[in-house]
Every structure is written in structure tokens, then in C-alpha cells.
Amino acid sequence: MYRRLKPIIILLILIVLAIAMNPVGNSLENYYPQQKAMDIAALTIGNTVTSGMDVVDESKLRKVPVIYHPEYIMNDLKEQQFYDLFVALTTGAIETPLNELTGAHISSHGTAQGFEGPGILLVKGDKLVVSPPDTFVWGFKKAYTYGVKTKSGLEIWENEKTVKTVPYSDISNSTVPHNYVTVKTLKKWCNKADNGAKITLNYGLSNFNDNRNPVAPEDIETFFGNDVLEYMENYPSGSPVMVYAKFSTETVVGTGADVLGSYANYSTTARAYNAMQFVKGWNNTIIPPHTTSHGKETVGFQGISDPHAPEDSATHGVCPAARSLRSAVMSDGFPLPVGMSSGEYAVLYGFEPSAGILLKNTNDYPVKIVMWTTGSGAGLHIYTKAIALA
């Protein structure tokens, strides 16, 4: 019976000691200040994190003399950390409890928890926390990885630093990024470019609306999903990319419709192709509030001979589709898109109909562009909806 009571008696003695020593610890705390929360972060403050990620480096937790923080003994007892308690009593030093330095959405084991989507690691007050994402999170596509031609090979740069040099004979899908520039195109560029010339090979995301740190190309799919990666691959550099959206309503705030029609001097088949490529270039484009966006740069248009055009060729057929788009967005308060006129010939010469045109969302909500067609030939109808997300 005595043997069974002995551990309980020891625990009670420890509790009494912790309570008794607490005023002493409080009086000495000014001489031995608490560890800073950011010092134990396993990642850079401001980085994107998802649920389940380790965000605390427990090896960085500082040990302090037990007499300075005797209340930490109570924490070990509460958490049943008996080994830590034994070490503290035998060495006179005790590890700072994790809950003293962490707050919202960080577990007792130092992992992110209790939220959906891409969170952010932050310090709020004196606590390391994970902030869940807002309803909408977007960043901007920005060049991240470059290839620089040199005498010895192709240098790969990231953040203005050389990460490796690839001999020209070794350029392949396994040695260089190829999402944006194919190996075949890159080799042709290397053969023609001068030493010191630079070509963009990959893109990251930066300038997020919630001020999180930039995200490197290799982390985009991990944090935001493959759909986001595919979306940004289609749009020009500098375009906004919605990486997270948890909206509850979709409201149609603008509509437009037009018909291809026919012109005796121009091929209806070619014009219909251009109209449908315009639709493909703008369909499902999302423009966050108070940002501007081009259409996709991965669509192509067919030039049609026209002696009146500046280069004797024009992408006829895009104007009916552009009128449909123009009507939808301007009825939602957008200004006249850059690269468009207000008349029948909606796309100005010199502007590529998708990646060259620029829409500005002046609203306080994101707007999604939805475009589709019905019919064929001269009877091809083009429809557009501007949809507010909230």
C-alpha cells in the first residue's frame, strides 16, 4: 500500500513546491525574459502552411532554470510529461512549454491544425499562430526561374542566384523546367542567343492580397492544387491568380450576346474559328477586386488577309465575341477594356484578342467571366456572363 502511495505523495510534493516557488519565479522573470515565439518557428514567418504541417521546431525550445519558471513544472504534470519532469528535477533546467509560445491553430505537438485551405504562419502578440485563409486569396504570376546562357552551359537562376549549371548537351526535361518553355525551344534559343542572354523558364506567385510570402513554383501545387497551377500556366506574367476561394453565392451581374454573321470578303470558317478561340481565351477567367487581367496567352488566332489592316492581315471574327464580353463587363461597372473600342469593330488593331486585351475590375468582389457559343458558321452565337463571387 505504501509503495502505491509513494508516487502520489511525490507528485503532491512537486505541486506544492511549484506553487510555493511561483512568486520567486515571477520576481526573477524580468532578469530572464521569456523566449520569443518567432525563435521556435520551423518555417519563415509569413510562409504558407496547410493543416498537418510541422510549424514548430521543438529543438529550438529554450531550457530555463526551474527556479525562474517553476510554473513550468505544473505544465509537465498537467501534460503528463514525466520524463521532462524528471530531467527538470535532476538537472535544474526545464524546457519552455509549447503552449507558452503558440496559439491558434497549432497543436500541442507543434503542427498546424483546425483549418481548411492555405493558412499563414504568423506571430500575433507573443504567440506563434497559424492564420486561416480569408474567403479569397490571390497572388500574381511572376518570373521566378531563369536560364542564362554562358560559355560553359545554361545557368539556372532562382531569386537572382545560380542554383546549377546545365551543359548544353544535358538539357532535357529532367534537368531544366519545361512547363513554359519546351526543351526543343530552349535548345533553339541557346543556339541563337548571345552569352549573358536570359530566358524565363518558370513562374512563382507573389504580392498576395493577404501579404503572405511568395510561393516558389515547386510549392504551388502542394499548397493550392493542380487547378491553380494549370490556371496560371495559361495566363501572361503579371496576371492575378485566385489560389483559394470559399464563396457561397454566384450572382450574374452582367450579360452579353452577339452573333458572328457573315462578310463576303472573309472566310466564315476562319472567322468562326477566331470567335471560338476568343471564347476559349476568356472563359473562366477570374478577376479579383481592384485588379486587372488579360485573357489566356495559350490560345492562337488565324490571320485573315485584309488589305486595310496595318499588316495586311487581321483576326476577323473576334469582334462579335469581344462585343459580347465588353457588354457583360461594362454592365457591371468595368471601364472600357484596354485594347477595345466602343464601336462595332471592338478589338483594336495591334492588340492580341486574348492576352493583349486588359479588363479592370473596379468592384469590391471577384468577377468570373463565363463565355460559351451555340450554333455554327454565320449563325454562331456568342454569350457572356459576368458573375460576382461572394
Side-chain angles (χ1 to χ4, degrees):
M1 183 72 177
Y2 174 73
R3 289 180 179 178
R4 292 180 182 178
L5 289 174
K6 190 173 181 180
I8 298 175
I9 293 171
I10 293 173
L11 288 178
L12 289 173
I13 293 172
L14 291 174
I15 292 172
V16 171
L17 284 173
I19 294 171
M21 292 170 66
N22 192 55
V24 177
N26 289 338
S27 66
L28 293 174
E29 190 169 6
N30 290 334
Y31 298 97
Y32 206 92
Q34 188 182 59
Q35 185 175 13
K36 292 182 179 179
M38 67 183 303
D39 293 340
I40 66 166
L43 306 168
T44 303
I45 302 301
N47 272 17
T48 298
V49 298
T50 54
S51 186
M53 286 182 62
D54 291 327
V55 295
V56 173
D57 185 346
E58 295 193 53
S59 68
K60 295 179 180 178
L61 284 168
R62 188 176 68 192
K63 287 189 175 182
V64 299
V66 174
I67 194 171
Y68 284 3
H69 285 286
E71 73 275 14
Y72 291 174
I73 293 177
M74 297 293 294
N75 185 80
D76 281 351
L77 289 170
K78 180 181 178 181
E79 298 293 330
Q80 298 185 1
Q81 300 291 335
F82 298 122
Y83 175 77
D84 291 344
L85 179 62
F86 174 78
V87 172
L89 294 175
T90 56
T91 64
I94 191 167
E95 194 174 78
T96 303
L98 199 57
N99 60 16
E100 290 284 316
L101 301 172
T102 61
H105 300 291
I106 297 180
S107 74
S108 59
H109 302 291
T111 57
Q113 66 172 12
F115 64 96
E116 296 180 3
I120 318 173
L121 185 64
L122 299 173
V123 172
K124 290 186 177 180
D126 57 355
K127 301 283 188 178
L128 185 70
V129 303
V130 173
S131 178
D134 295 330
T135 304
F136 299 103
V137 180
W138 65 88
F140 292 83
K141 180 179 176 180
K142 184 180 179 181
Y144 186 90
T145 307
Y146 297 93
V148 180
K149 182 176 179 180
T150 67
K151 291 181 179 180
S152 57
L154 185 70
E155 289 186 352
I156 307 300
W157 286 13
E158 292 183 354
N159 288 332
E160 303 302 322
K161 296 180 180 179
T162 302
V163 295
K164 65 178 178 177
T165 299
V166 180
Y168 296 121
S169 59
D170 291 345
I171 293 176
S172 67
N173 285 347
S174 62
T175 59
V176 298
H178 54 276
N179 283 11
Y180 293 90
V181 181
T182 65
V183 167
K184 182 178 179 180
T185 299
L186 183 58
K187 287 182 176 180
K188 286 183 178 179
W189 177 85
C190 288
N191 289 333
K192 295 180 180 180
D194 296 327
N195 288 335
K198 186 163 65 172
I199 184 172
T200 302
L201 299 178
N202 214 345
Y203 294 83
L205 290 168
S206 61
N207 299 112
F208 287 90
N209 64 307
D210 57 6
N211 297 314
R212 69 181 64 213
N213 294 340
V215 175
E218 63 269 19
D219 294 326
I220 291 170
E221 185 173 2
T222 300
F223 291 140
F224 308 130
N226 186 62
D227 288 346
V228 169
L229 184 63
E230 290 184 352
Y231 183 98
M232 68 176 289
E233 287 175 354
N234 283 307
Y235 288 81
S237 181
S239 296
V241 179
M242 187 72 71
V243 301
Y244 179 78
K246 194 175 182 181
F247 54 90
S248 57
T249 62
E250 295 187 9
T251 305
V252 176
V253 288
T255 61
D258 217 301
V259 62
L260 183 68
S262 61
Y263 289 84
N265 295 333
Y266 310 121
S267 164
T268 298
T269 300
R271 291 178 60 249
Y273 172 82
N274 285 338
M276 288 187 288
Q277 287 297 97
F278 187 101
V279 169
K280 183 179 178 181
W282 284 99
N283 185 41
N284 289 326
T285 296
I286 297 177
I287 311 173
H290 306 290
T291 67
T292 58
S293 180
H294 298 277
K296 301 179 183 72
E297 64 178 356
T298 50
V299 295
F301 297 88
Q302 182 176 336
I304 300 173
S305 178
D306 183 350
H308 302 292
E311 297 182 1
D312 297 326
S313 178
T315 54
H316 291 300
V318 298
C319 286
R323 292 195 297 266
S324 175
L325 174 63
R326 182 184 65 192
S327 177
V329 297
M330 292 188 70
S331 61
D332 187 36
F334 284 39
L336 178 67
V338 174
M340 284 193 188
S341 75
S342 58
E344 180 181 1
Y345 300 106
V347 179
L348 297 172
Y349 285 125
F351 286 86
E352 199 276 343
S354 181
I357 290 174
L358 189 67
L359 302 186
K360 182 176 183 179
N361 180 6
T362 55
N363 299 301
D364 294 329
Y365 46 80
V367 173
K368 180 179 180 180
I369 305 299
V370 176
M371 295 191 74
W372 73 100
T373 64
T374 61
S376 61
L380 183 74
H381 284 75
I382 305 106
Y383 301 94
T384 305
K385 286 183 180 179
I387 300 174
L389 308 179

